[in-house]
Amino acid sequence: MISIFGNSLIILILLSTLSIIYFSFNSITSLGINISKKIYHLSLLQVTFVVTCLLTLIVGFIISDFSLTTVFENSHTQKPLIYKIAGTWGNHEGSLLLWITLMVFFNFLFLVYGKKYEKKFMLFSLISQNFLILSFILFLFFTSNPFLLINPAPIEGLGLNPILQDPALAIHPPLLYIGFVGSSIYFSSAIGALISNLPAKEFAASIKNWVIFTWFFQTLGIFAGSVWAYYELGWGGFWFWDPVENASLLPWFCMTALMHSIIVLEKKGQLYSWVLILCLMTFVLTIAGTFLVRSGILNSVHTFANDPTRGLYILIILLLACLVSFFIFIKHSRGNSIQGYNLDRGTFILSNNWFMIFYLVTVFLGTVYPIFTEVIFNTKISVGPPFYNTVIIPFVIVFLILMSLGPESKWIKTKFPIRKLLTILILSFVLNLIISVIFKSTSLISNLIFITSFFLIIMSFLDVIKLIQLNKITLISRSVSHLGFGLLILFIGLNHNFSKEYDVNIKTGEIKKLNNFDLKFKDLKLTNSQNYKSIIGNFELKDNDKNFIKELKPEIRIYQNPETLTYEASIKSTIFNDYYLTMSNLQNSEYYNVKVQVKPFMSWLWLSVLIMSLGGFLRLFYKR
Amino acid sequence: MKKIIFYLLILNLLSLNSVMSQNFSQLEIKIFKNIRCLVCQGQSIADSNSDFAQTIKSVVSDKISQGKNEKEIYNFLSSKYGDWIVYKPSLNIPNLMLWVIPYLFVIFGVMFFLKNLRKKRQNK
């Protein structure tokens, strides 16, 4: 029943998409300045179909209709309701449907908010967007149909991977997808602008808010994924340079570069070609990331499905998107080279773009290089955190300095307030010294990171204060984002350098001494929950210097469906530190392996990401 | 003003000294973080409690007490388990492009910038 309904909805979406393309082509040559009502109505229909389709699948998950293969493979009757719903996008088929839903939704919003722009531009953008929708619908229908039937229907499902049953992960895909899929809008706009010869400033105005909007959600999506990794994986880290994480970071670099260069385009009408390239590249990288993650070509923590035919299909979409956009770009772009420049604001913005592309190239290279060596040299290599840290960190220092100076520059004739800058530099040195005194050892490179991030923090903070005093709250967004970024780098640096880690084997009743801590294993408890059993350890961590006791209760969970063991960390956050404890059983022994980590400034680190994204959010309300 | 900065610079550099005396356990952790746990998914042996990770950890500790340096340990492990086990790819012919391209990108960026700056000066 659900299957037939769902499948017919997919057909309806397909038909409405085709008719939008048809009518758009038709009305390009027609007279009149407005887009015909027919297209609006079709687009509204398309949204209705796709939303109903997604809801149908969600209903399938809620009522546990195991006649659907997707539900059978990824759900279970014993699962809490929220994870039944979130399970809809916790698998390949469902997440692809969510992807298409958002793509159609963005298409509709673009149409509604784009009334004031040139008709030809709007129509070509629509055509491009609907071709993208079409290719993804065909992909869904032929290789990953979520409404496939099993006959006879099983009584019970296989269940959702327990590590995905987590609140942060329930919201992580939708947030990230808004960013990912939203970038299709400026991909299509770029195609539309190229074909219809849209003037530079008009193009900037039409895509600006979409860029900010997607950047905001992409940032939050990456944030939610990171929080999930921290809480759920139980390794104490929050970023692993895993291929999947990199796949979400690559479009983010592009979006960040766009957010900056679009200012130049809007103000001066310069860099048009470059902005167009960035627009096209963001979505192409999104598809490339999807390909890497879903084809199973790379080994990763959270690879979905390892189905070569799916990989092949995405590769075809990717190649088509690349070729078509490349062809259109070459055919229609009017060369406008970057003119010579002085140390004005445009230069600083351009340097931001340069750094973003540098990070992008490095991360992209690191992600795909193992494929390359395997094919050419037949050796399998790993490119992990030490590679990225070595290559990227030294350049972060220069980046931070430019990022602090940039906002001080003007569009024409910049004169830096040298005295102010030197004073702030001295202050940063002093603050760095204080850190060295409190925490003792650090390396040269960390010192430079601390100094430069303090420099950026103070500069941006003064900017925020100044703007509030001048009552120009609407202009605050840049300074807030820069402030957030400075804080983020500072806290990552502190956290990276001064985390402590102890590893002990301990049995109940024992007390172990770990430097200035006493770890006491009080007892073990067994409990039963809705869909798992758990062994809960009861630990007491006593800090002998500061004289406090923290109670920590890590868990080992035994899920029945599917049968898995998961290790739940117990985390106690204080203002300055996170106390992070994980426990795992050792075979044939009454001892447990316990890892105690003291991680400074974790909450501050999360907060700085939120401050950074808040800056982007504020800019949506920027009125000229 | 410049003097103050100079002295502060010296002071900041002095605070570095403690890094030089890296003790064993820190070296061990650094090596552990650079070795992939082959039986896990995307974890280093520092993050894992699997039997494999425990074994490799004790191998590394033994090698260190035998006086082997970091590089020798990685070479030993790569020869046994393949390059896949080390997270930081070594600089050799197959990995050349991986290490070179980012820096080439930097050099070209700086050259491009300087060239344009000079052009602008000449135009004035």
Side-chain angles (χ1 to χ4, degrees):
Chain A
M1 174 58 199
I2 284 188
S3 168
I4 297 168
F5 193 57
N7 273 313
S8 11
L9 279 166
I10 294 181
I11 305 282
L12 286 172
I13 303 166
L14 191 73
L15 290 176
S16 54
T17 309
L18 284 172
S19 21
I20 291 177
I21 295 175
Y22 176 75
F23 285 113
S24 302
F25 265 122
N26 257 355
S27 55
I28 287 169
T29 42
S30 75
L31 297 168
I33 0 164
N34 291 322
I35 297 171
S36 77
K37 276 272 175 305
K38 217 183 287 170
I39 291 174
Y40 285 98
H41 294 157
L42 274 171
S43 186
L44 188 61
L45 262 181
Q46 192 190 22
V47 173
T48 320
F49 291 148
V50 82
V51 171
T52 322
C53 190
L54 182 67
L55 286 176
T56 310
L57 187 63
I58 293 178
V59 168
F61 269 88
I62 292 175
I63 63 168
S64 296
D65 181 351
F66 296 125
S67 63
L68 298 174
T69 319
T70 312
V71 181
F72 163 69
E73 281 174 353
N74 299 291
S75 196
H76 192 273
T77 46
Q78 297 290 307
K79 212 165 55 167
L81 180 66
I82 165 170
Y83 297 126
K84 280 184 186 163
I85 298 172
T88 315
W89 47 79
N91 58 80
H92 170 74
E93 291 82 2
S95 63
L96 196 63
L97 184 59
L98 176 69
W99 176 292
I100 293 170
T101 309
L102 288 168
M103 215 167 192
V104 172
F105 214 83
F106 271 109
N107 177 61
F108 179 67
L109 291 178
F110 175 71
L111 193 58
V112 172
Y113 284 103
K115 276 184 183 149
K116 55 177 180 272
Y117 299 110
E118 220 176 277
K119 178 182 145 196
K120 208 173 156 202
F121 158 69
M122 289 302 290
L123 285 174
F124 276 116
S125 306
L126 265 187
I127 291 168
S128 161
Q129 180 74 5
N130 278 283
F131 267 116
L132 289 175
I133 295 171
L134 185 68
S135 54
F136 277 94
I137 295 220
L138 292 174
F139 177 35
L140 181 86
F141 193 74
F142 289 113
T143 71
S144 346
N145 192 334
F147 296 105
L148 278 189
L149 282 176
I150 325 179
N151 214 351
I155 305 162
E156 194 47 275
L158 298 176
L160 178 69
N161 185 349
I163 63 165
L164 300 181
Q165 299 186 24
D166 180 89
L169 211 72
I171 56 161
H172 163 67
L175 287 174
L176 202 59
Y177 277 24
I178 294 177
F180 273 146
V181 177
S183 70
S184 67
I185 278 298
Y186 38 93
F187 175 91
S188 297
S189 298
I191 300 273
L194 276 165
I195 299 179
S196 66
N197 268 329
L198 194 72
K201 292 189 177 178
E202 205 167 312
F203 179 66
S206 79
I207 66 162
K208 195 176 139 196
N209 276 351
W210 296 110
V211 174
I212 300 165
F213 188 76
T214 49
W215 180 88
F216 172 67
F217 278 99
Q218 185 84 3
T219 312
L220 286 183
I222 296 175
F223 169 74
S226 210
V227 170
W228 169 79
Y230 177 68
Y231 281 90
E232 192 62 34
L233 292 180
W235 311 341
F238 52 89
W239 193 264
F240 303 94
W241 295 105
D242 181 88
V244 173
E245 294 168 333
N246 294 348
S248 66
L249 203 57
L250 294 174
W252 188 86
F253 287 138
C254 265
M255 289 174 194
T256 313
L258 256 180
M259 265 181 96
H260 290 84
S261 50
I262 211 164
I263 304 171
V264 182
L265 185 66
E266 198 183 24
K267 258 232 142 70
K268 299 240 159 177
Q270 290 170 348
L271 301 182
Y272 196 7
S273 303
W274 172 237
V275 168
L276 286 169
I277 291 174
L278 281 176
C279 286
L280 297 172
M281 204 157 74
T282 313
F283 191 62
V284 166
L285 281 170
T286 299
I287 308 176
T290 312
F291 165 70
L292 290 176
V293 174
R294 305 214 179 186
S295 62
I297 200 165
L298 286 171
N299 178 297
S300 141
V301 197
H302 13 7
T303 306
F304 266 129
N306 301 349
D307 186 341
T309 48
R310 285 173 187 165
L312 189 67
Y313 200 101
I314 307 176
L315 201 61
I316 293 171
I317 299 184
L318 177 63
L319 284 176
L320 279 178
C322 279
L323 284 176
V324 170
S325 53
F326 185 73
F327 178 74
I328 294 180
F329 183 80
I330 296 293
K331 189 156 180 278
H332 291 273
S333 95
R334 296 146 292 166
N336 55 351
S337 66
I338 301 158
Q339 284 127 19
Y341 39 75
N342 218 328
L343 277 176
D344 59 14
R345 179 165 287 184
T347 313
F348 279 100
I349 290 179
L350 211 59
S351 73
N352 155 285
N353 275 229
W354 184 84
F355 273 98
M356 284 302 147
I357 300 301
F358 168 70
Y359 298 143
L360 197 154
V361 167
T362 309
V363 175
F364 184 76
L365 203 64
T367 313
V368 301
Y369 206 80
I371 307 173
F372 174 76
T373 55
E374 205 173 347
V375 173
I376 309 277
F377 299 99
N378 205 15
T379 51
K380 214 173 166 193
I381 63 159
S382 299
V383 181
F387 168 77
Y388 298 102
N389 294 346
T390 318
V391 178
I392 289 179
I393 291 178
F395 294 99
V396 171
I397 296 165
V398 189
F399 181 59
L400 287 170
I401 297 172
L402 292 175
M403 199 171 166
S404 326
L405 296 179
E408 289 290 318
S409 64
K410 304 279 180 321
W411 286 101
I412 16 174
K413 278 231 165 171
T414 300
K415 246 192 136 183
F416 287 107
I418 302 290
R419 254 199 115 68
K420 177 184 160 199
L421 294 180
L422 284 179
T423 321
I424 295 175
L425 189 63
I426 291 175
L427 200 60
S428 314
F429 273 122
V430 173
L431 286 168
N432 178 50
L433 268 182
I434 294 173
I435 288 187
S436 308
V437 170
I438 296 176
F439 291 102
K440 318 261 165 11
S441 76
T442 41
S443 63
L444 175 64
I445 209 136
S446 318
N447 266 285
L448 290 173
I449 289 272
F450 293 146
I451 294 168
T452 45
S453 51
F454 274 127
F455 192 64
L456 174 62
I457 292 168
I458 300 169
M459 294 286 283
S460 322
F461 186 70
L462 290 178
D463 249 10
V464 173
I465 301 281
K466 199 170 88 191
L467 288 170
I468 291 177
Q469 277 171 351
L470 291 174
N471 230 343
K472 287 183 179 166
I473 306 248
T474 43
L475 298 175
I476 219 169
S477 75
R478 179 202 60 219
S479 313
V480 172
S481 273
H482 281 200
L483 178 66
F485 186 77
L487 290 169
L488 178 66
I489 298 295
L490 175 69
F491 292 127
I492 290 178
L494 288 170
N495 188 277
H496 180 80
N497 276 292
F498 308 119
S499 285
K500 286 183 228 139
E501 207 176 305
Y502 310 98
D503 201 320
V504 285
N505 293 337
I506 191 169
K507 63 178 179 181
T508 44
E510 261 192 315
I511 299 178
K512 287 258 163 122
K513 203 162 170 55
L514 315 162
N515 275 354
N516 51 334
F517 294 107
D518 282 339
L519 179 72
K520 185 174 173 193
F521 191 170
K522 282 160 74 180
D523 50 47
L524 270 178
K525 249 191 324 200
L526 280 168
T527 57
N528 272 313
S529 298
Q530 194 183 349
N531 56 341
Y532 58 85
K533 288 193 192 114
S534 53
I535 306 169
I536 304 174
N538 191 1
F539 289 85
E540 226 178 60
L541 189 67
K542 192 169 157 217
D543 188 326
N544 293 323
D545 294 349
K546 293 174 199 154
N547 234 335
F548 64 74
I549 293 178
K550 292 264 169 255
E551 290 231 342
L552 290 149
K553 294 185 168 136
E555 272 178 59
I556 300 175
R557 283 188 192 162
I558 305 144
Y559 283 84
Q560 271 95 31
N561 313 291
E563 206 166 288
T564 354
L565 279 187
T566 67
Y567 304 95
E568 302 291 314
S570 166
I571 305 168
K572 281 271 153 68
S573 305
T574 60
I575 297 178
F576 292 113
N577 283 310
D578 266 21
Y579 297 88
Y580 192 108
L581 199 145
T582 43
M583 161 180 95
S584 56
N585 47 324
L586 295 173
Q587 261 178 6
N588 310 323
S589 156
E590 52 181 332
Y591 280 89
Y592 283 79
N593 180 278
V594 170
K595 204 144 104 183
V596 183
Q597 301 186 58
V598 183
K599 312 200 66 79
F601 299 108
M602 276 316 288
S603 330
W604 298 73
L605 202 153
W606 301 133
L607 188 69
S608 21
V609 182
L610 291 177
I611 294 175
M612 188 166 86
S613 49
L614 174 74
F617 184 69
L618 288 175
R619 204 165 131 200
L620 284 173
F621 304 98
Y622 203 93
K623 293 246 159 55
R624 319 207 92 247
Chain B
M1 194 85 137
K2 278 188 184 137
K3 260 187 188 163
I4 303 178
I5 293 190
F6 179 73
Y7 287 125
L8 273 169
L9 201 66
I10 301 277
L11 255 170
N12 270 279
L13 283 175
L14 281 177
S15 71
L16 287 176
N17 58 3
S18 43
V19 191
M20 308 307 168
S21 60
Q22 209 173 34
N23 62 32
F24 267 165
S25 73
Q26 266 174 320
L27 176 66
E28 273 174 336
I29 289 177
K30 190 182 162 208
I31 296 178
F32 293 166
K33 292 216 158 142
N34 195 12
I35 296 174
R36 184 190 283 273
C37 166
L38 296 180
V39 298
C40 322
Q41 273 207 315
Q43 258 173 306
S44 70
I45 60 167
D47 296 324
S48 168
N49 291 321
S50 67
D51 291 342
F52 178 83
Q54 309 279 13
T55 317
I56 300 293
K57 275 183 198 170
S58 61
V59 168
V60 170
S61 304
D62 285 352
K63 293 272 163 195
I64 289 174
S65 52
Q66 284 168 23
K68 295 266 162 60
N69 66 22
E70 242 187 290
K71 209 169 173 188
E72 286 169 323
I73 295 172
Y74 296 144
N75 285 341
F76 170 75
L77 288 171
S78 307
S79 67
K80 279 204 111 145
Y81 297 98
D83 291 339
W84 174 242
I85 199 168
V86 185
Y87 269 126
K88 187 175 177 175
S90 49
L91 184 60
N92 53 24
I93 301 288
N95 301 342
L96 196 65
M97 300 311 273
L98 176 68
W99 286 103
V100 168
I101 290 177
Y103 293 106
L104 276 184
F105 195 82
V106 173
I107 293 167
F108 282 129
V110 172
M111 268 164 51
F112 178 77
F113 178 77
L114 290 178
K115 203 180 124 203
N116 273 280
L117 210 63
R118 204 171 303 146
K119 213 190 269 170
K120 179 80 184 184
R121 291 251 162 86
Q122 277 165 2
N123 287 349
K124 268 191 174 172

